[in-house]
Amino acid sequence: MSLIVQKFGGSSVQDAKHLRNVAGLIAETYLEGNDVIVVLSAQGDTTDGLIEKACEINPGASKREMDMLLSTGEQISVALCAMALEGMGLPCVSLTAWQAGIQSTSVHGDARIKKIDTERVRGELDQHRIVLVTGFQGLNRRGDITTLGRGGSDTSAVALAAAFQADLCQIFTDVDGVYTADPRIVPTARKLEEITYDEMLELASQGAQILHNRSVELAKKFRVNLEVLSSLERKSGTHVKEVTKKVEKTNIAGVARDVSIARVALVGLEHNPGVAFQVFHLLSKHNINVDVILQSIGREDTKDISFTVHKKDLADTVAVLEEHKDTLRFDHITADEHIGKVSVVGVGLMSNSGVAAKIFEALYEAGINIQMISTSEIRVSVLLDEEDVNRAVRAIHDKFFGEV
Amino acid sequence: MSLIVQKFGGSSVQDAKHLRNVAGLIAETYLEGNDVIVVLSAQGDTTDGLIEKACEINPGASKREMDMLLSTGEQISVALCAMALEGMGLPCVSLTAWQAGIQSTSVHGDARIKKIDTERVRGELDQHRIVLVTGFQGLNRRGDITTLGRGGSDTSAVALAAAFQADLCQIFTDVDGVYTADPRIVPTARKLEEITYDEMLELASQGAQILHNRSVELAKKFRVNLEVLSSLERKSGTHVKEVTKKVEKTNIAGVARDVSIARVALVGLEHNPGVAFQVFHLLSKHNINVDVILQSIGREDTKDISFTVHKKDLADTVAVLEEHKDTLRFDHITADEHIGKVSVVGVGLMSNSGVAAKIFEALYEAGINIQMISTSEIRVSVLLDEEDVNRAVRAIHDKFFGEV
């Protein structure tokens, strides 16, 4: 007998029909003799509906009250799903995060799970009940309900899997696994049977929308055996784990794209030491995340610094920098929203210099111009014109996987 | 400085506009220098919407999961109302029943409040925050969310008022107080400034839909100073208290009607002692509440027993009795759904024999036939044809209040 944690997202529980499907999947796992903990998100657009209600009342509502409001969404999901399981004659119980002992940090809207008090859930499992827990939330030291921020339900599932030393943590989504590239862009993309935590992390942060980073980090930390699979088809998905067997000739796990970024350049910075630090310290103080950074020698003893930010942060970034123009001493700022990033991810990628060459070759053959390059231990990213992004993904994917 | 508990029902918080109005009322009370605890029901038809969702999934869902589902309704209300108050710049905090320390019995769907742990709310009041608490719910010993059943939010408000020894507990409704009769039926009905707990109890159980019995009983037990008033008009309502000053000549508080009842008669019961006990014990075991009871001698050494039940219980009542026909030994059952009850309520009413006579006189003059009569210390009820009920209310009201 195993203990399995199963997580279903908002679209998987959006209405009675979908909830019955989810209940069927849970029932199968339970009837095979497993202990089952289920984590659910709020139904479909429930959260958006609640946010709309809040905005109508007070667009500047406190995050504490937003959490109080939004946490009802998952509570509705778990209660309804429990009712569906009851209808199938299965013993079950729905629990809010506080009932399930999920303790979080105090910050509202973006709390972290600190600790899980396992007593209540353990007691329910001992009674052979399927335990349904609200995802995305916790209880802070003050006794207030918190929410975990984006991807929070994945994190709840992984944290529960870690706390209960589950044999498997299944994240059900509307795709059937992790692909070598987005199948909507690259029709020949193939599903991966396995991927390492690190590769998944790079893919996640490089724009693959399957698993949220925080949940993968947590899974890595506690060696949680993760599986990403579809709630609509009964077939195995992609396993995320520490070490994978590489059956393929290449070390590439996949090709990811990100078109939600913008490029900012500070042109004509004076050559004073520490100016780069000043710039990025300033942006960090304003909660602006910076990704690819490039520093180059400009004309006449000045230099330029280019970097990318999320598109939504572009206006703030420019405003903050302009405000400190006198201190930072640059000539002017340029900004470009029409760029995109393509990343190739794979364990041991950087130890194989042939990989980078192969990427550049693919892009050269496709006639695509590279604006900036950034690399990590297991990733190579290139910055391109936004309109070249999809073509670049196909070209690179073909270069690595095309021959198979 | 006083401590005031204010309770607003579902229609008072149904949308952003109504919530803002409620926030305005709360703000006025707070800005006059009072501590304020607010109890809210779920918005308008939220509860019905949730019940519909549940029925679609599983019409036989457990009460435990129904409570888990339905309790989200009040949580949404308190969060939104807190946001409205935040928008006015007022310090406030919304709390679920479990956060507010409301401990209940274990039974789901119809729990009773056992105890209120005042620590959290007291702490918030000490910080000069307006405290908003979800009505209608509690937490049982198992750590599960319960709901209190019909009229539960009134009970929550009164229980909080009792626990915090509030100076006043205001129940806001869509009427501006308790009237001598339903103004829709008796246009000359007058609003009462004051009414005793006992009178209110009799009026409530006799069909006046303003306050639920349980909340009035609790108010009486803990001497909570209750006021029933309108959330739409700024004027004082009706105070419910232990002793009222009687400025009027009559001892009558009001005339109430109830057309939700049906009459059942067991005809031709054998004269065996204890048969009445058997009948009502049987009905009580099936959770059927019986009201007016009349026993009469029938033909040939048999007797008849007539009583009233709620219309919704009629089918069950007849079925249960038919099932036990052999044990109870009666000839046949008759049932009449087209009846109604008119009650006159007033402290010291029975000590004034003139009152009953005046009622019968009024009905005689109106040519209305009385089917059954039932009395208590402070009430006289008559059973009539349903079609005579409104006319009877007007005739009796005119007889007592007409001259004023």
Side-chain angles (χ1 to χ4, degrees):
Chain A
M1 193 185 72
S2 301
L3 170 57
I4 298 180
V5 175
Q6 302 188 309
K7 180 259 168 179
F8 298 91
S11 59
S12 300
V13 295
Q14 63 184 274
D15 54 26
K17 191 183 125 208
H18 283 79
L19 270 167
R20 264 187 222 108
N21 172 56
V22 163
L25 286 162
I26 298 166
E28 276 177 31
T29 311
Y30 177 78
L31 294 172
E32 281 163 8
N34 299 299
D35 281 342
V36 187
I37 299 174
V38 179
V39 175
L40 299 182
S41 300
Q43 289 189 292
D45 44 14
T46 303
T47 304
D48 290 339
L50 290 171
I51 290 173
E52 206 173 286
K53 276 192 171 201
C55 285
E56 204 186 337
I57 297 275
N58 178 3
S62 70
K63 286 184 174 173
R64 194 250 174 222
E65 296 300 337
M66 281 305 284
D67 283 358
M68 187 76 170
L69 180 71
L70 296 182
S71 61
T72 60
E74 291 79 28
Q75 191 172 330
I76 291 172
S77 290
V78 292
L80 290 175
C81 190
M83 291 174 188
L85 289 166
E86 284 178 350
M88 302 164 84
L90 297 174
C92 62
V93 64
S94 72
L95 299 176
T96 60
W98 57 265
Q99 287 175 320
I102 299 179
Q103 298 168 23
S104 81
T105 56
S106 286
V107 56
H108 286 286
D110 198 25
R112 309 275 152 147
I113 295 176
K114 277 168 64 182
K115 185 170 171 272
I116 297 182
D117 182 350
T118 57
E119 193 185 332
R120 173 79 196 255
V121 174
R122 184 64 74 192
E124 301 289 353
L125 292 175
D126 287 347
Q127 305 278 318
H128 302 293
R129 294 199 183 100
I130 297 164
V131 180
L132 302 119
V133 180
T134 55
F136 180 65
Q137 53 191 253
L139 192 72
N140 70 17
R141 213 169 41 181
R142 240 181 99 70
D144 284 339
I145 297 171
T146 56
T147 64
L148 305 179
R150 270 190 56 123
S153 289
D154 290 352
T155 309
S156 303
V158 173
L160 282 164
F164 287 91
Q165 300 183 286
D167 301 278
L168 179 61
C169 178
Q170 296 184 308
I171 308 287
F172 288 86
T173 68
D174 46 7
V175 296
D176 62 354
V178 182
Y179 277 72
T180 52
D182 186 336
R184 288 167 301 184
I185 293 161
V186 183
T188 58
R190 295 196 330 257
K191 193 173 80 182
L192 296 164
E193 267 181 59
E194 298 186 336
I195 187 169
T196 66
Y197 297 121
D198 287 332
E199 288 170 338
M200 191 67 229
L201 274 175
E202 287 285 5
L203 280 181
S205 53
Q206 297 310 313
Q209 310 253 325
I210 299 163
L211 276 176
H212 200 262
N213 254 4
R214 222 201 282 175
S215 62
V216 183
E217 278 164 14
L218 201 63
K220 182 183 174 188
K221 185 168 169 192
F222 292 100
R223 297 284 183 272
V224 172
N225 186 10
L226 264 187
E227 183 182 7
V228 177
L229 68 175
S230 165
S231 62
L232 303 172
E233 297 169 85
R234 309 285 165 110
K235 59 182 184 189
S236 68
T238 300
H239 284 267
V240 189
K241 49 210 287 194
E242 185 58 19
V243 179
T244 58
K245 50 184 193 301
K246 292 285 174 195
V247 288
E248 288 157 28
K249 272 170 264 163
T250 168
N251 286 320
I252 305 298
V255 186
R257 66 195 269 281
D258 185 0
V259 292
S260 65
I261 55 171
R263 191 185 54 173
V264 179
L266 286 176
V267 181
L269 275 163
E270 288 184 21
H271 257 308
N272 83 56
V275 66
F277 165 76
Q278 285 173 38
V279 168
F280 298 114
H281 179 67
L282 185 63
L283 293 176
S284 144
K285 270 205 318 197
H286 287 80
N287 286 316
I288 295 168
N289 282 321
V290 168
D291 188 16
V292 187
I293 300 171
L294 195 92
Q295 184 170 315
S296 64
I297 305 296
R299 289 158 301 167
E300 291 163 17
D301 247 18
T302 64
K303 61 182 176 185
D304 306 339
I305 292 184
S306 300
F307 54 88
T308 60
V309 293
H310 198 280
K311 271 201 176 84
K312 71 170 169 50
D313 289 332
L314 180 57
D316 277 353
T317 305
V318 173
V320 166
L321 292 172
E322 287 286 6
E323 199 184 312
H324 293 80
K325 191 170 182 177
D326 292 346
T327 335
L328 297 172
R329 286 187 285 173
F330 56 85
D331 188 67
H332 64 278
I333 299 177
T334 66
D336 183 359
E337 284 192 278
H338 302 288
I339 59 156
K341 187 170 56 175
V342 175
S343 303
V344 178
V345 173
V347 167
L349 179 150
M350 286 309 285
S351 57
N352 182 348
S353 62
V355 171
K358 221 164 163 181
I359 294 169
F360 304 145
E361 186 187 1
L363 295 174
Y364 169 74
E365 288 170 359
I368 294 169
N369 196 32
I370 301 173
Q371 295 190 15
M372 286 163 80
I373 298 171
S374 145
T375 61
S376 82
E377 195 58 36
I378 64 164
R379 175 181 54 80
V380 175
S381 297
V382 291
L383 233 65
L384 313 164
D385 269 355
E386 190 171 2
E387 58 181 17
D388 290 332
V389 164
N390 290 356
R391 228 155 37 85
V393 171
R394 279 189 292 266
I396 296 170
H397 191 271
D398 275 357
K399 188 58 106 186
F400 285 97
F401 299 101
E403 312 92 14
V404 185
Chain B
M1 192 186 72
S2 302
L3 171 56
I4 298 180
V5 175
Q6 301 188 309
K7 180 259 168 179
F8 298 92
S11 58
S12 300
V13 295
Q14 62 184 275
D15 55 26
K17 192 183 124 209
H18 282 79
L19 270 167
R20 263 187 224 110
N21 172 56
V22 163
L25 285 163
I26 298 168
E28 276 177 32
T29 311
Y30 177 78
L31 294 172
E32 280 164 9
N34 301 297
D35 281 342
V36 187
I37 300 174
V38 179
V39 174
L40 299 182
S41 302
Q43 290 188 292
D45 45 14
T46 302
T47 304
D48 289 339
L50 290 171
I51 291 174
E52 206 173 287
K53 277 193 171 201
C55 284
E56 205 185 337
I57 298 275
N58 178 3
S62 71
K63 287 185 173 171
R64 195 253 173 218
E65 296 301 338
M66 281 304 287
D67 283 357
M68 187 77 170
L69 180 71
L70 296 183
S71 60
T72 60
E74 291 79 29
Q75 192 172 329
I76 291 171
S77 290
V78 291
L80 290 175
C81 189
M83 292 174 186
L85 289 166
E86 284 176 352
M88 301 164 85
L90 297 174
C92 62
V93 63
S94 71
L95 298 176
T96 60
W98 57 266
Q99 288 175 320
I102 301 180
Q103 298 168 24
S104 80
T105 56
S106 287
V107 57
H108 286 286
D110 198 24
R112 309 276 152 145
I113 295 175
K114 275 167 65 183
K115 187 171 169 269
I116 297 181
D117 182 350
T118 58
E119 193 185 332
R120 173 79 196 257
V121 173
R122 183 65 73 192
E124 301 291 354
L125 291 175
D126 288 347
Q127 304 279 319
H128 301 294
R129 294 198 184 101
I130 298 165
V131 180
L132 302 119
V133 180
T134 55
F136 180 63
Q137 53 192 250
L139 192 72
N140 68 18
R141 211 168 43 178
R142 240 181 98 71
D144 285 339
I145 298 170
T146 56
T147 64
L148 306 180
R150 272 189 57 122
S153 289
D154 290 350
T155 309
S156 303
V158 172
L160 284 163
F164 288 90
Q165 300 182 285
D167 300 278
L168 179 60
C169 179
Q170 297 183 307
I171 308 287
F172 288 86
T173 68
D174 46 7
V175 296
D176 62 355
V178 182
Y179 277 73
T180 51
D182 186 337
R184 287 168 300 186
I185 292 162
V186 182
T188 57
R190 297 195 330 256
K191 192 173 80 179
L192 296 165
E193 268 183 56
E194 299 186 335
I195 187 171
T196 66
Y197 297 120
D198 286 331
E199 288 169 339
M200 192 67 228
L201 273 176
E202 288 284 3
L203 279 181
S205 52
Q206 298 310 313
Q209 310 253 327
I210 301 165
L211 277 174
H212 200 262
N213 253 6
R214 224 201 281 177
S215 61
V216 183
E217 278 164 15
L218 201 61
K220 182 184 175 188
K221 186 169 167 191
F222 292 100
R223 297 286 183 271
V224 172
N225 186 8
L226 266 187
E227 183 183 5
V228 177
L229 70 175
S230 166
S231 62
L232 303 171
E233 297 170 84
R234 310 284 164 111
K235 59 182 186 190
S236 68
T238 300
H239 285 268
V240 189
K241 49 208 288 196
E242 184 59 19
V243 179
T244 56
K245 51 184 192 298
K246 293 286 175 194
V247 288
E248 288 156 29
K249 272 170 262 160
T250 167
N251 286 319
I252 304 299
V255 185
R257 66 194 269 282
D258 186 359
V259 292
S260 65
I261 55 168
R263 191 185 54 172
V264 178
L266 286 177
V267 181
L269 275 163
E270 286 184 23
H271 255 308
N272 82 56
V275 66
F277 166 75
Q278 285 174 40
V279 168
F280 297 115
H281 180 66
L282 186 64
L283 294 176
S284 145
K285 271 204 322 197
H286 286 80
N287 287 317
I288 296 168
N289 282 321
V290 169
D291 188 17
V292 186
I293 299 170
L294 194 91
Q295 185 170 317
S296 64
I297 305 298
R299 287 159 304 165
E300 291 166 17
D301 247 19
T302 62
K303 60 184 176 184
D304 305 340
I305 292 183
S306 300
F307 54 88
T308 60
V309 295
H310 198 280
K311 270 201 178 81
K312 73 170 167 51
D313 288 332
L314 180 58
D316 278 353
T317 305
V318 173
V320 165
L321 292 173
E322 286 286 4
E323 201 185 309
H324 293 80
K325 190 169 181 179
D326 292 345
T327 338
L328 298 173
R329 284 185 287 172
F330 55 85
D331 188 66
H332 65 277
I333 299 177
T334 65
D336 183 359
E337 284 192 280
H338 302 289
I339 59 157
K341 187 169 56 177
V342 174
S343 303
V344 177
V345 173
V347 167
L349 179 149
M350 285 310 283
S351 55
N352 182 346
S353 61
V355 172
K358 220 161 163 181
I359 294 168
F360 304 144
E361 185 187 359
L363 294 176
Y364 168 74
E365 285 170 2
I368 294 169
N369 196 31
I370 302 172
Q371 294 188 15
M372 285 162 79
I373 298 170
S374 146
T375 62
S376 82
E377 194 60 34
I378 63 164
R379 175 182 55 79
V380 175
S381 296
V382 290
L383 232 68
L384 313 163
D385 270 354
E386 190 172 2
E387 59 180 15
D388 290 333
V389 164
N390 290 356
R391 227 156 36 86
V393 171
R394 280 191 290 268
I396 295 170
H397 191 271
D398 275 356
K399 186 60 105 186
F400 285 96
F401 298 101
E403 312 91 16
V404 186

